[in-house]
Amino acid sequence: MTISAKVVTAASNAARSLGQTLDKMGAAMEVAKYTERLVPSTRFVAVNDIAPTINPNTAFIAPSANVVGDVTIGSSSSVWYNSTIRGDGNKVTINPNT
């Protein structure tokens, strides 16, 4: 391992340790001790080789949302928890800012 690789590894380990310490300090200062654990299970499913098209500037797609088939989601749009958008029968378009 070269010297530069060792320096990068040491810096990475120090940054990780600092981040974990800060996280523990922040958790100790929280008033509400409950943390909601969400399973990231967002599903994007292609139907008949047509996959959903998601704008990279999409504001929010919930971890439990499903987007199926010929669906287009515009910029600054959101898909909320436990919602399903189905474009398996017809095309679905969610315009920007919705």
Side-chain angles (χ1 to χ4, degrees):
M1 185 182 288
T2 65
I3 293 175
S4 61
K6 289 180 182 180
V7 169
V8 169
T9 301
S12 299
N13 290 337
R16 182 179 304 113
S17 177
L18 176 63
Q20 289 172 342
T21 301
L22 290 172
D23 185 51
K24 287 177 186 175
M25 288 173 56
M29 290 187 277
E30 287 182 3
V31 175
K33 297 295 183 184
Y34 175 75
T35 303
E36 182 178 4
R37 303 272 183 216
L38 296 175
V39 178
S41 61
T42 301
R43 296 190 302 169
F44 299 99
V45 180
V47 175
N48 297 329
D49 295 325
I50 301 174
T53 304
I54 311 298
N55 187 295
N57 297 322
T58 298
F60 179 74
I61 297 181
S64 59
N66 297 304
V67 183
V68 181
D70 194 4
V71 175
T72 303
I73 300 176
S75 64
S76 299
S77 297
S78 52
V79 179
W80 285 81
Y81 296 93
N82 297 320
S83 61
T84 299
I85 302 171
R86 292 183 56 187
D88 52 348
N90 293 305
K91 180 175 179 56
V92 176
T93 301
I94 297 177
N95 291 320
N97 303 311
T98 58

